[in-house]
Amino acid sequence: MTPLTRPARLVPGARVAVVAPSGPVPEERLSAGLDLLRGWDLDPVVAPHTLDRHPDFDYLAGTDADRAADFQAAWCDPSVAAVVCARGGYGVQRMADLLDWDAVRAAGPKTLVGFSDITALHEAFATRAGLVTLHGPMAAGLDFLKNTRAQDHLRATLFAPESVRTITAEASTALVPGRARGVLLGGCLCLLAAELGNPYARPGARGALVCLEDVGEETYRLDRYLTQLLRAGWFDGVAGVLLGSWAQCEPYEGVRALLVDRLGGLGVPTVEEFGFGHCDGALTVPFGVTAELDADAGTLTLDEPALV
């Protein structure tokens, strides 16, 4: 597991494209998110199909071809410094293989921001483009719109990444104590399990610090996802585990018992409630960067800033 290529940090006046590769986007929330980005002295441009709805499946923001075309055009536009997803939902896996990855690689490194269903894009950019990506708040997400901590941490990561070399989760506790070093990867647990078996999926997380979170899942489903990853050998050789939020899942005591049951046997430093994912004030975590986890202190220290 080697670190990936880091894109450039943003500067005032940078153009950022807002796209909807997954679910449909509420127009009023998108408008509020664009205002926030303009307040950061950025120049946000909205992809043509961002507010579309699929004609048959209302859980998708437009057709697969249109969502892919929007993303492709945004990424390959030389005037665009970053691509910020509007929201998650479901849909990335349907459009990821429609992207021209040769063109994506040729466009050079730039920053991708998103989480939840965007986990599938984080994985695709790691395996197909070799780029660091940011697991963080999205332009039309409620946390981005309403939570100052989420806004400030993302902004610092984008503009002054050296200022957030150490990420601290004040409410975290160690499920398994100790320190571990590795390359950061992960995201939404159900998406990581769903990625197994596709021809571009990474074979496992050997040598990695794996970040896991999810939303709206019953405990037995979380059990299924973890068990599938364990049976597939995906966790073999993992260096450490960071557990984020489990919003709208069953009471945390039951989820915690499952996490201990399924992950405790890995015998690697593991920290819970690290403050990323579907939670208030979600921290931005760069995937593809080497870092050291101190599970006892609740800190994650990056070897290098997330962005150059």
Side-chain angles (χ1 to χ4, degrees):
M1 188 70 64
T2 58
L4 306 180
T5 300
R6 294 177 296 148
R9 69 187 65 201
L10 299 187
V11 297
R15 173 165 289 186
V16 298
V18 178
V19 300
S22 298
V25 179
E27 185 172 4
E28 66 282 0
R29 278 166 46 184
L30 176 62
S31 177
L34 295 174
D35 286 343
L36 260 173
L37 293 173
R38 292 187 188 103
W40 293 0
D41 200 16
L42 292 172
D43 176 23
V45 292
V46 179
H49 299 284
T50 300
L51 293 174
D52 282 7
R53 292 284 183 119
H54 193 285
D56 299 313
F57 308 118
D58 62 5
Y59 51 82
L60 296 171
T63 66
D64 298 343
D66 285 342
R67 297 195 321 279
D70 274 3
F71 191 95
Q72 184 86 47
W75 192 267
C76 295
D77 183 341
S79 73
V80 169
V83 175
V84 179
C85 297
R87 63 155 294 191
Y90 168 75
V92 165
Q93 289 181 304
R94 291 179 54 125
M95 55 76 76
D97 294 334
L98 300 180
L99 297 174
D100 181 343
W101 287 97
D102 288 335
V104 167
R105 287 187 291 270
K110 56 184 68 176
T111 302
L112 171 68
V113 183
F115 76 106
S116 194
D117 193 59
I118 312 306
T119 296
L121 274 180
H122 289 303
E123 286 290 285
F125 269 87
T127 61
R128 302 201 212 185
L131 291 181
V132 167
T133 55
L134 300 182
H135 183 278
M138 295 177 282
L142 288 175
D143 198 42
F144 177 68
L145 299 178
K146 297 183 178 297
N147 192 285
T148 302
R149 186 176 86 148
Q151 296 168 8
D152 289 348
H153 198 255
L154 175 59
R155 185 176 185 179
T157 305
L158 290 171
F159 287 94
E162 66 282 347
S163 70
V164 284
R165 281 275 297 277
T166 297
I167 301 172
T168 302
E170 296 174 357
S172 69
T173 56
L175 283 182
V176 179
R179 293 173 178 256
R181 284 178 52 78
V183 175
L184 289 159
L185 62 86
C188 200
L189 173 60
C190 67
L191 267 296
L192 293 170
E195 283 290 289
L196 288 176
N198 89 61
Y200 300 101
R202 66 177 105 214
R206 182 174 296 276
L209 295 177
V210 174
C211 302
L212 300 174
E213 64 93 30
D214 217 318
V215 60
E217 295 282 4
E218 296 182 57
T219 304
Y220 83 89
R221 293 180 181 271
L222 298 174
D223 189 333
R224 179 194 297 158
Y225 305 141
L226 289 169
T227 300
Q228 173 64 5
L229 290 167
L230 287 163
R231 294 179 71 205
W234 194 84
F235 283 110
D236 291 356
V238 67
V241 179
L242 296 90
L243 302 169
S245 64
W246 307 94
Q248 300 169 42
C249 295
E250 295 183 343
Y252 184 62
E253 304 80 57
V255 173
R256 187 180 192 275
L258 171 69
L259 296 171
V260 172
D261 177 82
R262 295 283 74 193
L263 298 176
L266 296 174
V268 299
T270 302
V271 64
E272 65 178 331
E273 298 189 283
F274 202 79
F276 61 88
H278 296 78
C279 58
D280 291 340
L283 299 167
T284 298
V285 180
F287 288 164
V289 175
T290 301
E292 179 174 288
L293 167 67
D294 185 332
D296 303 88
T299 59
L300 182 67
T301 303
L302 310 178
D303 280 10
E304 299 178 297
L307 306 177
V308 178

